Amino acid sequence: MKQIKKVLKWTSVLLLVLVAGVSIIAATRQHIKYEAPYPDIKASADPAVIARGRHLALNVAHCVGCHSTANVDSIDFNKEDIPLSGGHLFDLPVGKIYSRNITPDKETGIGNYTDAEIARALYYGVHPDGTVVYDFMPFHNISKEDLTAIISYLRAQKPVRNKVPENNLNVLGNLVKAFMIKPVGPTGEIPESVKPDTTAAYGKYLAMSVAECNGCHTERDMSGAFTGEPFAGGKPMTKKGFPSLTPPNLTPDPTGRLYGWTQEMFINRFRQGKLIPYSPMHWSSFKHMTDNELKAIYNFLKTLKPVKTKEKE
């Protein structure tokens, strides 16, 4: 019995030392600096470029869904601008994360960032101060032309002074940031431009690099890395006080949500907007996408490998 107690005692001591060691290492890795190139991106004052950026930021890329605390479901984006002043809370298992103010305010927004610094953050996942960007906005392969338009629109916004709270990670969040979060960059050469049309190729570009449909409709781990079959359904999402919702399987498998849907049905569903009040889907933005954009995405989804929807546990 004494021998067992002795073993348990030293086992406990070793575990405490191990936990303390990991905690200390994690603390030293919270502000690691990374290097990344600065893309040759320069904002334009051309009204046509800004208008294109507005369409992308408010509709296709749905920046407004996260970088605003306004009730976007009650606003017609075609008639009204919404300040992208940040402050939206993501209450996650790793802690509380707040969206940033991306208006041109110099004190609390992006007013002191260069165009190249903003582009580096979006393309390569590195903040202007060198720290890692959480991969919530994986625009790593968006064309230079489209990113130029988005940054041009951001520069044209009215500055809004809104100091957003700092992120508040818990113990798990600190460990994830220390050992799992690393900058993510383009998968290949960044395209100069991508011609808008209704092809599956353009639909893939929209779904993977601008609208980021795969970000919710593919399973991911706590670091944001993809772990599931592409577009075969995401992890359940829960909003406090409401039942959880699972982003459905969008592949052409008979168990997929879109099986049997025509192109017209697909477009009409988007035009209806949000039907479930607590849905995390950015319907308010996506319903303003053009018919051709929706046709392209529909055509792309039809080319995916069919994957059977997982049985709920």
Side-chain angles (χ1 to χ4, degrees), residues 1-135:
M1 182 62 74
K2 288 184 178 180
Q3 186 65 26
I4 293 175
K5 288 183 177 180
K6 187 176 181 180
V7 170
L8 290 174
K9 174 184 175 182
W10 283 108
T11 299
S12 299
V13 171
L14 287 173
L15 285 174
L16 286 173
V17 171
L18 179 62
V19 170
V22 170
S23 298
I24 291 171
I25 294 173
T28 64
R29 292 176 59 84
Q30 294 304 299
H31 303 288
I32 296 176
K33 305 288 185 178
Y34 296 92
E35 294 293 331
Y38 290 91
D40 184 20
I41 298 287
K42 293 181 176 63
S44 169
D46 185 332
V49 174
I50 293 172
R52 169 67 176 166
R54 183 183 190 279
H55 174 66
L56 291 172
L58 298 188
N59 302 329
V60 191
H62 55 85
C63 310
V64 68
C66 295
H67 288 280
S68 172
T69 55
N71 179 12
V72 295
D73 297 325
S74 64
I75 298 172
D76 185 346
F77 298 164
N78 289 328
K79 299 178 180 178
E80 187 176 348
D81 278 316
I82 300 94
L84 302 179
S85 52
H88 181 85
L89 168 63
F90 294 90
D91 198 353
L92 305 173
V94 295
K96 298 182 185 299
I97 296 177
Y98 298 86
S99 64
R100 298 295 100 186
N101 180 346
I102 56 173
T103 73
D105 183 66
K106 290 188 176 182
E107 290 185 44
T108 64
I110 59 172
N112 286 324
Y113 296 167
T114 67
D115 298 333
E117 285 175 332
I118 297 171
R120 183 176 78 149
L122 292 172
Y123 275 135
Y124 296 101
V126 177
H127 284 296
D129 66 359
T131 58
V132 68
V133 176
Y134 294 117
D135 200 31

Side-chain angles (χ1 to χ4, degrees), residues 10 29 33 44 48 51 69 88 91 97 132 165 170 174 192 202 219 224 233 243 255 263 288 308-309:
W10 283 108
R29 292 176 59 84
K33 305 288 185 178
S44 169
T69 55
H88 181 85
D91 198 353
I97 296 177
V132 68
N170 53 32
N174 286 329
E192 289 293 330
Y202 186 61
E219 288 193 359
T255 62
Q263 187 180 86
H288 293 302
K308 184 179 177 62
T309 300

Side-chain angles (χ1 to χ4, degrees), residues 150-210:
I150 290 174
I151 293 176
S152 299
Y153 171 67
L154 296 181
R155 293 296 193 205
Q157 286 190 94
K158 179 182 177 181
V160 177
R161 192 168 190 274
N162 180 38
K163 185 170 177 57
V164 174
E166 294 299 320
N167 296 330
N168 184 14
L169 300 179
N170 53 32
V171 174
L172 176 61
N174 286 329
L175 291 173
V176 169
K177 183 179 180 182
F179 301 109
M180 296 178 69
I181 304 292
K182 292 182 179 179
V184 180
T187 56
E189 186 175 348
I190 300 170
E192 289 293 330
S193 63
V194 180
K195 180 184 176 182
D197 54 28
T198 61
T199 64
Y202 186 61
K204 179 179 180 179
Y205 168 71
L206 291 177
M208 301 285 288
S209 302
V210 189

